[in-house]
Amino acid sequence: MAQSTLQKRYHVTTFGCQMNEHDSERMKGMLDSLGYEEVAERGAADLILFNTCSIRESADSRFIAHLGEAKRLKSEDPQRVVGVGGCWAQSVKDEVFERFPFVDVAFGPGQIHRLAEFLTQDSLSAQGYFEFEGFPGHLPAKRERRFQGWVQISVGCNCACAYCIVPQTRGREVNRRPGELIAEIEGLAADGVREVTLLGQNVNSYGRDLPAAERTTFAELLGRVDSIPGIERIRYTSPHPKDMREDVIRAHAELPALCAHIHLPLQSGSSRILKAMRRTYNRQRYLDRVAQIREHVPDCALTTDIIVGFPGETDEDFAETLEVADQVGYDGAFTFIFSPRRGTDAAAMPNQVPHAAKRRRMEPLVALVQERARERAQRFVGRTMEVLVEGPSRTDPSRLRGRISHNKTVNFEGAGQPGELVDVEITAATSTTLSGHQRLLSSVSPR
Ligand code: 5AD
Ligand code: SF4
């Protein structure tokens, strides 16, 4: 029975983006410090938590299927606590309890730091916590991998993209102070972290709301992180093309630890649709940014997000998206079918694209993206690349898996330990993965 031991046990299921994964690590860190123990099976947990996402329809329905299991477990043992946090919870607020009466506590992404408070309430029933209180503050995070850490540099977003629910679920942008961030990353480095990912909804706008004495641009922050001993790799997500300035692009060429990868969300290749999306750049400005990246850091991997079927998107608009995807030649792309999110402007637009048309457009886009990614990946074949070992290969445990600076996964024969940087000679490449073998004698290794 779930209540039979003194030590309480918890299980967390995470949906959505890296920001959510990081939030889950913070929840876990907090629960561990409260004396809870993590268990792998939901059925063995006293506290069942879901960290939800509201970006994709499919995540929502997957989540509802998981909730069904939690309902069954709760009916078996009413002492169990079921909590629903994250963006979806924030977007529907107290409706969580109307739709799912067995849920005990619901909270938005701005309330994670109050998890302890929720859990020590005398009567924990149908409580909702959805305020924004600026920055949620420092919480101990439980890291999935000892050598990789995430650091949240900002929360919220001041953009007004017509399709996006984030400004509603995560509020206005609030930046953390640079001194606090550097101290946190120094602490992580001392604790064995070699790769750090800086997180924010729009990292490129970092620093603008800081007091004058502490004002630091994102490029300056990258420079300060780069100089921290022990930090070998720096990644960040997500950037916004409108704020991706030359200083950040130059930083990719100049800072040894900054990875050779930029995620530059396109969303659409049609200037007309970009305007309706309120992205504040057009096709040409986006392509100019890409050209600037290619000029300063020619080998840099470029990935993107694309939405298909935004309201009013015609076949001609979509053809422009295909053209841009072809012209840029991404190393990888996340493609999304537009899904109307309640309360966003796009959801209320009259000219919604029929689902069949969205699906029909998706196919050639995915095929094109994969083909170009496969071609791009061939540039690594024959090169010796530095790989951060992550563990055994998922498909063949006798091999290892890791990632190169360009964020491509490599499966290889070798003997490195997780967290080690090793040289791997790349012998083959598909659109998503590379394969090769470790070079035991140290050799020149282009990053
Ligand atoms: N429908 C489809 N895709 C969306 N995204 C954000 N909102 C929506 C929506 N309503 C995609 C964008 C964003 C990524 C994280 O999710 O491409 O960059
Ligand atoms: Fe992440 Fe956006 Fe989903 Fe929230 S809505 S979890 S920010 S992808």
Side-chain angles (χ1 to χ4, degrees):
M1 282 300 287
Q3 294 291 305
S4 61
T5 52
L6 276 178
Q7 188 175 30
K8 297 245 185 181
R9 293 177 290 194
Y10 71 91
H11 182 269
V12 183
T13 313
T14 309
F15 300 92
C17 63
Q18 292 195 347
M19 185 73 85
N20 257 22
E21 287 185 31
H22 175 58
D23 283 350
S24 290
E25 291 194 349
R26 289 163 62 220
M27 289 189 212
K28 292 178 185 183
M30 183 168 220
L31 289 167
D32 286 356
S33 60
L34 288 173
Y36 280 71
E37 179 197 10
E38 185 175 10
V39 286
E41 294 285 317
R42 194 175 287 147
D46 307 287
L47 171 65
I48 298 173
L49 287 175
F50 295 94
N51 193 7
T52 61
C53 169
S54 46
I55 282 295
R56 266 173 287 185
E57 251 167 349
S58 60
D60 286 9
S61 47
R62 206 158 52 93
F63 158 63
I64 283 163
H66 281 269
L67 255 190
E69 196 204 326
K71 179 182 181 182
R72 184 177 58 72
L73 291 167
K74 173 104 183 167
S75 66
E76 279 172 14
D77 179 359
Q79 295 297 321
R80 284 195 161 104
V81 172
V82 178
V84 178
C87 294
W88 177 80
Q90 181 72 39
S91 68
V92 301
K93 300 216 170 81
D94 289 335
E95 220 182 290
V96 175
F97 306 117
E98 282 158 40
R99 289 182 60 186
F100 307 105
F102 56 93
V103 169
D104 300 292
V105 58
F107 51 98
Q111 295 290 309
I112 290 171
H113 59 298
R114 293 178 59 197
L115 198 54
E117 195 184 317
F118 312 155
L119 295 172
T120 49
Q121 293 281 333
D122 287 343
S123 65
L124 191 75
S125 67
Q127 305 249 15
Y129 299 84
F130 301 106
E131 308 306 311
F132 295 115
E133 292 172 352
F135 204 81
H138 178 75
L139 284 180
K142 175 168 175 168
R143 296 197 305 275
E144 282 305 318
R145 297 202 185 97
R146 187 182 44 77
F147 52 91
Q148 287 171 331
W150 281 328
V151 174
Q152 199 163 357
I153 65 169
S154 63
V155 285
C157 184
N158 291 350
C159 298
C161 302
Y163 52 81
C164 188
I165 198 152
V166 167
Q168 288 171 55
T169 59
R170 292 188 188 256
R172 305 274 306 163
E173 180 175 321
V174 181
N175 294 295
R176 282 176 74 194
R177 305 217 148 154
E180 187 185 325
L181 292 172
I182 297 304
E184 185 168 324
I185 299 169
E186 281 169 351
L188 288 172
D191 199 31
V193 166
R194 306 189 84 178
E195 178 179 279
V196 71
T197 303
L198 309 180
L199 287 174
Q201 299 301 343
N202 174 8
V203 289
N204 296 111
S205 63
Y206 175 79
R208 291 187 194 155
D209 73 347
L210 292 172
E214 288 178 69
R215 193 143 308 148
T216 305
T217 64
F218 184 58
E220 286 162 354
L221 180 70
L222 289 171
R224 288 181 65 182
V225 179
D226 184 78
S227 63
I228 297 176
I231 297 295
E232 312 264 3
R233 284 187 173 184
I234 308 168
R235 301 187 184 279
Y236 59 85
T237 196
S238 317
H240 192 304
K242 83 171 164 63
D243 295 315
M244 186 71 178
R245 295 207 325 247
E246 191 173 339
D247 55 354
V248 175
I249 297 173
R250 283 182 180 279
H252 277 272
E254 289 160 9
L255 303 177
L258 188 56
C259 285
H261 171 217
I262 296 179
H263 184 70
L264 201 64
L266 169 68
Q267 312 302 4
S268 169
S270 152
S271 295
R272 202 179 68 82
I273 293 296
L274 287 169
K275 188 153 191 221
M277 287 177 164
R278 285 202 297 265
R279 290 290 287 171
T280 71
Y281 55 86
N282 60 22
R283 171 180 171 153
Q284 196 50 50
R285 263 190 66 198
Y286 183 92
L287 288 172
D288 290 347
R289 279 290 181 275
V290 172
Q292 210 173 29
I293 294 170
R294 294 265 150 88
E295 181 196 334
H296 289 293
V297 256
D299 191 44
C300 190
L302 256 183
T303 57
T304 199
D305 293 339
I306 298 172
I307 298 179
V308 172
F310 184 81
E313 185 189 76
T314 62
D315 283 338
E316 289 70 38
D317 292 314
F318 175 66
E320 290 200 53
T321 299
L322 284 178
E323 273 170 32
V324 174
D326 193 35
Q327 209 172 326
V328 174
Y330 292 105
D331 293 78
F334 295 106
T335 46
F336 301 89
I337 284 193
F338 170 74
S339 94
R341 296 286 110 196
R342 188 179 4 188
T344 59
D345 289 350
M349 290 179 179
N351 41 4
Q352 300 289 323
V353 175
H355 196 68
K358 294 181 190 164
R359 290 223 87 90
R360 178 165 48 75
R361 287 176 195 164
M362 197 63 156
E363 238 171 80
L365 177 64
V366 170
L368 172 72
V369 161
Q370 279 180 352
E371 178 51 22
R372 302 292 272 118
R374 199 191 56 75
E375 286 165 21
R376 292 272 302 160
Q378 304 313 308
R379 74 186 188 280
F380 299 118
V381 176
R383 280 164 68 179
T384 295
M385 309 293 294
E386 192 177 66
V387 172
L388 182 63
V389 182
E390 292 183 347
S393 153
R394 293 207 172 111
T395 47
D396 174 358
S398 71
R399 304 177 83 205
L400 291 174
R401 176 177 47 94
R403 267 178 310 141
I404 60 172
S405 167
H406 306 68
N407 209 28
K408 280 253 175 267
T409 298
V410 190
N411 291 306
F412 62 101
E413 274 120 46
Q417 292 300 312
E420 233 180 274
L421 285 164
V422 299
D423 283 342
V424 174
E425 186 176 335
I426 307 300
T427 52
T430 69
S431 61
T432 52
T433 32
L434 308 176
S435 68
H437 48 256
Q438 187 174 344
R439 294 189 62 136
L440 293 175
L441 285 177
S442 148
S443 57
V444 190
S445 71
R447 284 166 28 87

